[in-house]
């Protein structure tokens, strides 16, 4: 069995595996890009972001100490806010808007955009633009959170420094016509700051305080800051942990890995070797709803008539791909790092 020689095939192959071959895709790995020779540009810290992230995480830790004082309805509300903001990222910014892996009706897109503002991870347009660059130029200078720069950079560091110029240069070449044509995406972008203020901070705090008399401090620090920081870190673990630790059953030539712990905390987004191999699969995993609340949510939306056209990769295509780029040696399945 001879494989791994055909890196060049990767791009064309993934496109051929697509259910619709007419669309051009910007989320498929481009192996023709070569990093520029010579010294790397200097790291430029963005102190505003560093200070805000330290304040947020300090506030979240304080929220953790307040947990024993939170009433049961407040705890339930915190979980609900977690699920909503997570869905705004997983089902919204990621599977719908970055990868077009299914179609959503107008009301569902409005819901997902509101949920997305609750997660405060940049507006959908910017998130999807960065994410397509991440897939297309994975683990190079043009990847916004290049995991070859280490766990810290891939996790949070990339949000604390100026971007590598290649990220911007390559990103500017993406057309993003689908995003520009989506009125929900562009409306959220225009009103982003106000929507974040309301949905990420005001609503999570005011609801428990007003409706069941929770103390203002608990309401602000638990469903507000603690929930926000946990959703952020669960998301960032996909970029850090799921690019470093786990198995590679589908493609051993890339670093993204299957990480069940990340899959659990990120509502199904930890099957990252599969996802980078087949980015257009709406389930981001071979195994449907297993450890994958987001897939269960999208399936429910399809059942209710709010979503349709879920793209899935057939078993035959998966088997053929595993034959070609899957593990030859047991050590690969165990997840040897950085081939
Ligand atoms: C956050 C995002 O946390 C998290 C994303 C994670 C992604 C995960 C993916 C994994 C898979 C999915 C799993 C989901 C799991 C969810 C689980 C949930 C439980 N292309 O950016 P600027 C241009 S955000 C093209 O300022 P600097 C463009 O013209 C957290 N062009 O660059 C732009 O202007 P505009 C909260 C691009 O100065 C201009 O350059 N937010 C591109 O280097 C300037 O851009 C923060 O912390 C591109 N890709 O600054 C703030 N990029 O946008 C974060 C840029 O107007 N950001 N251009 O068109 C910043 O402050 C800054 O971006 C910076 C870099 C300091 C990081
Ligand atoms: Zn990735
Ligand atoms: Zn993706």
């Amino acid at each position: 069995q001879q494989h791994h020689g055909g890196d060049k095939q990767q791009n064309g192959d993934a496109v051929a595996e697509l259910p619709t071959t007419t669309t051009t895709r910007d989320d498929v790995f481009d192996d023709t890009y070569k990093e520029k020779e010579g010294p790397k540009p200097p790291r430029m810290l963005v102190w505003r972001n560093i200070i805000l992230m330290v304040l947020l995480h300090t506030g979240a830790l304080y929220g953790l100490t307040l947990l024993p004082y939170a009433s049961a309805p407040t705890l339930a509300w915190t979980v609900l806010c977690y699920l909503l903001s997570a869905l705004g990222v997983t089902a919204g910014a990621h599977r719908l808007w970055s990868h077009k892996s299914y179609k959503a009706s107008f009301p569902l897109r409005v819901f997902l955009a509101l949920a997305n503002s609750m997660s405060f991870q940049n507006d959908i347009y910017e998130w999807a633009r960065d994410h397509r660059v991440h897939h297309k130029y994975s683990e190079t200078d043009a990847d916004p959170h290049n995991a070859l720069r280490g766990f810290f950079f891939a996790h949070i560091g990339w949000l604390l420094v100026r971007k590598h110029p290649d990220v911007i240069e390559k990103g500017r070449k993406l057309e993003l016509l689908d995003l520009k044509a989506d009125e929900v995406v562009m409306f959220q972008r225009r009103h982003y700051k106000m929507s974040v203020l309301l949905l990420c901070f005001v609503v999570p705090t005011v609801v428990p305080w007003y409706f069941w008399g929770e103390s203002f401090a608990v309401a602000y620090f638990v469903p507000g800051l603690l929930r926000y920081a946990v959703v952020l870190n669960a998301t960032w673990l996909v970029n850090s942990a799921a690019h470093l630790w786990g198995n590679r059953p589908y493609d051993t030539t890339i670093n993204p890995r299957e990480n069940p712990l990340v899959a659990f905390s990120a509502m199904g987004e930890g099957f990252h070797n599969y996802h980078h191999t087949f980015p257009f699969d709406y389930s981001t995993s071979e195994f449907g709803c297993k450890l994958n609340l987001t897939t269960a949510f999208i399936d429910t939306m399809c059942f209710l008539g709010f979503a349709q056209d879920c793209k899935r990769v057939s078993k035959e295509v998966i088997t053929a791909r595993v034959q070609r780029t899957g593990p030859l040696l047991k050590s690969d399945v165990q997840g040897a790092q950085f081939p």
Side-chain angles (χ1 to χ4, degrees):
Q1 189 191 5
Q2 172 60 40
H3 66 238
H4 298 182
D7 273 357
K8 194 88 191 123
Q9 269 176 294
Q10 219 164 32
N11 195 356
D13 197 45
V15 174
E17 283 153 5
L18 263 179
T20 45
T21 44
T22 44
T23 39
T24 52
R25 302 200 61 100
D26 282 326
D27 57 356
V28 172
F29 186 68
D30 176 356
D31 51 58
T32 61
Y33 164 77
K34 293 280 170 286
E35 289 181 350
K36 297 191 178 83
E37 306 262 322
K40 305 276 182 198
R43 189 175 53 203
M44 284 193 289
L45 300 178
V46 177
W47 281 102
R48 183 199 62 158
N49 290 10
I50 296 172
I51 291 166
L52 287 175
M53 280 301 173
V54 169
L55 288 176
L56 170 67
H57 285 82
T58 312
L61 284 178
Y62 181 60
L64 209 56
T65 70
L66 292 183
L67 263 185
Y69 307 99
S71 66
T74 302
L75 293 176
W77 171 248
T78 305
V79 172
L80 180 68
C81 290
Y82 182 90
L83 293 175
L84 286 173
S85 22
L87 281 176
V89 178
T90 60
H94 191 221
R95 300 189 197 182
L96 176 66
W97 281 300
S98 298
H99 294 299
K100 299 186 267 188
S101 68
Y102 68 100
K103 291 203 175 76
S105 65
F106 182 75
L108 178 55
R109 280 183 287 134
V110 170
F111 167 79
L112 290 171
L114 292 169
N116 184 268
S117 286
M118 193 175 217
S119 76
F120 186 13
Q121 294 196 4
N122 298 332
D123 63 55
I124 296 161
Y125 180 89
E126 180 172 347
W127 201 105
R129 181 176 67 186
D130 273 345
H131 192 64
R132 287 180 189 176
V133 188
H134 165 64
H135 275 267
K136 193 164 180 180
Y137 302 104
S138 213
E139 268 133 358
T140 67
D141 284 339
D143 176 350
H145 32 85
N146 178 6
L148 296 181
R149 291 175 71 176
F151 183 96
F152 186 81
F153 180 83
H155 194 76
I156 181 176
W158 68 284
L159 293 164
L160 310 177
V161 296
R162 299 267 165 235
K163 284 173 171 158
H164 191 289
D166 283 15
V167 174
I168 296 177
E169 186 190 313
K170 289 292 168 190
R172 288 216 165 115
K173 297 207 163 83
L174 310 185
E175 290 193 306
L176 312 172
L177 294 176
D178 55 315
L179 300 173
K180 287 173 186 156
D182 190 325
E183 70 240 82
V184 176
V185 172
M186 297 326 270
F187 184 88
Q188 193 230 23
R189 185 161 163 85
R190 276 198 301 281
H191 303 285
Y192 190 59
K193 282 193 183 134
M194 183 51 81
S195 72
V196 162
L197 183 68
L198 284 176
L199 288 155
C200 185
F201 300 108
V202 175
V203 170
T205 306
V206 166
V207 166
W209 170 76
Y210 182 82
F211 286 102
W212 54 87
E214 184 56 88
S215 82
F216 195 82
V218 169
Y220 177 67
F221 285 103
V222 177
L225 295 196
L226 177 60
R227 180 269 322 168
Y228 174 42
V230 173
V231 173
L232 277 183
N233 281 279
T235 308
W236 297 339
L237 280 173
V238 179
N239 296 337
S240 52
H243 271 256
L244 294 166
W245 303 310
N247 299 338
R248 289 176 294 180
Y250 306 100
D251 191 339
T252 54
T253 69
I254 59 174
N255 281 317
R257 284 145 205 270
E258 306 288 283
N259 189 311
L261 267 176
V262 176
F264 174 75
S265 61
M267 306 225 326
E269 301 282 21
F271 306 102
H272 216 47
N273 189 256
Y274 183 89
H275 177 57
H276 272 263
T277 311
F278 306 110
F280 40 83
D281 188 314
Y282 90 102
S283 190
T284 70
S285 144
E286 184 183 349
F287 306 109
C289 293
K290 194 178 153 201
L291 276 183
N292 206 327
L293 262 182
T294 305
T295 298
F297 171 80
I298 300 172
D299 288 349
T300 310
M301 289 301 115
C302 288
F303 178 75
L304 297 175
F306 291 111
Q308 57 189 26
D309 278 355
C310 294
K311 297 189 181 70
R312 201 77 175 103
V313 180
S314 71
K315 290 278 173 228
E316 297 78 63
V317 170
I318 296 176
T319 312
R321 181 61 183 256
V322 170
Q323 284 282 318
R324 191 164 69 73
T325 59
L328 279 175
L329 306 165
K330 243 199 149 51
S331 59
D332 280 333
V333 188
Q334 300 310 322
Q337 280 190 17
F338 299 135

PDB file of all heavy atoms in Angstrom, residues 94 99 131 135 275, ligand 3:
ATOM      1  N   HIS A  94     -19.591  28.604  11.979  1.00  0.00           N
ATOM      2  CA  HIS A  94     -18.738  27.545  11.452  1.00  0.00           C
ATOM      3  C   HIS A  94     -19.417  26.733  10.350  1.00  0.00           C
ATOM      4  O   HIS A  94     -19.090  26.871   9.177  1.00  0.00           O
ATOM      5  CB  HIS A  94     -18.258  26.634  12.598  1.00  0.00           C
ATOM      6  CG  HIS A  94     -17.194  25.697  12.163  1.00  0.00           C
ATOM      7  ND1 HIS A  94     -17.127  24.388  12.551  1.00  0.00           N
ATOM      8  CD2 HIS A  94     -16.140  25.877  11.323  1.00  0.00           C
ATOM      9  CE1 HIS A  94     -16.081  23.806  11.999  1.00  0.00           C
ATOM     10  NE2 HIS A  94     -15.465  24.687  11.246  1.00  0.00           N
ATOM     11  N   HIS A  99     -18.563  27.133   6.052  1.00  0.00           N
ATOM     12  CA  HIS A  99     -18.427  25.960   5.184  1.00  0.00           C
ATOM     13  C   HIS A  99     -19.631  25.696   4.293  1.00  0.00           C
ATOM     14  O   HIS A  99     -19.577  24.761   3.479  1.00  0.00           O
ATOM     15  CB  HIS A  99     -18.120  24.716   6.026  1.00  0.00           C
ATOM     16  CG  HIS A  99     -16.794  24.768   6.711  1.00  0.00           C
ATOM     17  ND1 HIS A  99     -15.608  24.860   6.011  1.00  0.00           N
ATOM     18  CD2 HIS A  99     -16.455  24.777   8.030  1.00  0.00           C
ATOM     19  CE1 HIS A  99     -14.593  24.894   6.886  1.00  0.00           C
ATOM     20  NE2 HIS A  99     -15.088  24.854   8.122  1.00  0.00           N
ATOM     21  N   HIS A 131     -11.655  31.939   9.147  1.00  0.00           N
ATOM     22  CA  HIS A 131     -11.728  30.479   9.202  1.00  0.00           C
ATOM     23  C   HIS A 131     -11.446  29.845   7.843  1.00  0.00           C
ATOM     24  O   HIS A 131     -10.815  28.793   7.763  1.00  0.00           O
ATOM     25  CB  HIS A 131     -13.085  30.032   9.748  1.00  0.00           C
ATOM     26  CG  HIS A 131     -13.092  28.570  10.093  1.00  0.00           C
ATOM     27  ND1 HIS A 131     -12.292  28.032  11.078  1.00  0.00           N
ATOM     28  CD2 HIS A 131     -13.749  27.519   9.545  1.00  0.00           C
ATOM     29  CE1 HIS A 131     -12.470  26.726  11.123  1.00  0.00           C
ATOM     30  NE2 HIS A 131     -13.355  26.375  10.192  1.00  0.00           N
ATOM     31  N   HIS A 135      -8.435  27.104   6.933  1.00  0.00           N
ATOM     32  CA  HIS A 135      -8.492  25.825   6.221  1.00  0.00           C
ATOM     33  C   HIS A 135      -7.604  25.827   4.979  1.00  0.00           C
ATOM     34  O   HIS A 135      -6.944  24.848   4.669  1.00  0.00           O
ATOM     35  CB  HIS A 135      -9.930  25.505   5.793  1.00  0.00           C
ATOM     36  CG  HIS A 135     -10.723  24.824   6.869  1.00  0.00           C
ATOM     37  ND1 HIS A 135     -10.829  23.465   6.972  1.00  0.00           N
ATOM     38  CD2 HIS A 135     -11.443  25.334   7.905  1.00  0.00           C
ATOM     39  CE1 HIS A 135     -11.587  23.150   8.012  1.00  0.00           C
ATOM     40  NE2 HIS A 135     -11.980  24.264   8.605  1.00  0.00           N
ATOM     41  N   HIS A 275     -12.649  16.778  10.039  1.00  0.00           N
ATOM     42  CA  HIS A 275     -13.153  18.068   9.555  1.00  0.00           C
ATOM     43  C   HIS A 275     -12.214  18.730   8.546  1.00  0.00           C
ATOM     44  O   HIS A 275     -12.659  19.289   7.550  1.00  0.00           O
ATOM     45  CB  HIS A 275     -13.435  19.005  10.724  1.00  0.00           C
ATOM     46  CG  HIS A 275     -13.882  20.366  10.279  1.00  0.00           C
ATOM     47  ND1 HIS A 275     -14.985  20.560   9.471  1.00  0.00           N
ATOM     48  CD2 HIS A 275     -13.352  21.599  10.487  1.00  0.00           C
ATOM     49  CE1 HIS A 275     -15.120  21.851   9.209  1.00  0.00           C
ATOM     50  NE2 HIS A 275     -14.136  22.513   9.810  1.00  0.00           N
TER      51      HIS A 275
HETATM   52 ZN1  LIG B   3     -13.884  24.535   9.745  1.00  0.00          ZN
END
